[in-house]
Amino acid sequence: NDRGLAPAFVGEGGVIPVGKMAFGSQTMNRYKVAVISNWTNELMQQSTPNIESLVRQGILDDTAYKLDSALLDGSAAVAGVRPASILSGVVGTGSTGATAANIIADLKVLLNAMSAANLGADPVLIMNSSRLLGLATVVNATGQFMFRDEVAAGRLLGVPVITSSNVPAAQVIIVDANSFVAAN
């Protein structure tokens, strides 16, 4: 937002400003993932459970994994074939350590980077489930679990957390869900 619609205080009988918002555009290209499977008529007639429902579920599961992987793998776009990953061209920042204070500092770096880019209206963390488990076991100096209750609620420092096996265990990704768009 370029703040072109910011209001102003106006005295009685004063002139109310006219705002104008600048718009840009972004083209959403269409891509598809596809797979073909087959089976024999004999298998179709004799399978219990039904082979078609098994294959259908397998396709759904494997497609979900493939789309999740493509979203997070860091690959650049291939024109006419696949979109860029959300990590394409992103340079990560190193962690400051494994203590509760280090983890909080690292999360502040991520949130501050979003804020500096005028993002962060709806931040979401994406990480491997093993990373989330590790965060649930972090203790403070008095031996209390720092993040256990929040992790159990699916959050970390108030930010929602999504887990994916496609995120390397040592990596944490932050996305502004308010600025993310996809179409199916």
Side-chain angles (χ1 to χ4, degrees):
N1 187 344
D2 65 357
R3 307 287 181 238
L5 293 176
F9 289 99
V10 179
E12 185 175 342
V15 177
I16 298 173
V18 175
K20 179 181 174 185
M21 191 171 186
F23 291 97
S25 65
Q26 181 66 42
T27 301
M28 285 191 60
N29 295 309
R30 291 182 288 166
Y31 299 96
K32 70 177 181 180
V33 293
V35 66
I36 296 174
S37 183
N38 67 332
W39 54 81
T40 64
N41 283 335
E42 292 81 3
L43 184 58
M44 175 95 166
Q45 293 168 358
Q46 300 297 319
S47 65
T48 304
N50 181 284
I51 188 64
E52 182 178 359
S53 62
L54 288 173
V55 170
R56 180 182 307 273
Q57 189 60 51
I59 289 172
L60 290 172
D61 293 345
D62 290 353
T63 299
Y65 181 85
K66 178 63 178 179
L67 288 172
D68 188 51
S69 174
L71 180 72
L72 302 169
D73 67 8
S75 296
V78 177
V81 177
R82 69 159 283 167
S85 157
I86 61 171
L87 298 177
S88 178
V90 172
V91 177
T93 59
S95 175
T96 58
T99 68
N102 294 137
I103 292 165
I104 292 168
D106 290 345
L107 290 173
K108 283 181 178 179
V109 166
L110 292 175
L111 291 166
N112 286 335
M114 288 190 102
S115 179
N118 206 21
L119 297 169
D122 191 11
V124 175
L125 294 165
I126 307 171
M127 64 185 72
N128 192 291
S129 57
S130 65
R131 170 62 50 166
L132 190 61
L133 175 61
L135 289 168
T137 63
V138 172
V139 294
N140 63 14
T142 62
Q144 295 175 315
F145 291 102
M146 287 289 299
F147 308 112
R148 182 180 58 192
D149 294 340
E150 268 201 302
V151 166
R155 304 179 87 69
L156 187 59
L157 297 183
V159 178
V161 176
I162 297 171
T163 59
S164 170
S165 60
N166 287 308
V167 178
Q171 189 174 41
V172 175
I173 301 165
I174 192 164
V175 175
D176 185 358
N178 194 52
S179 298
F180 180 83
V181 63
N184 292 322

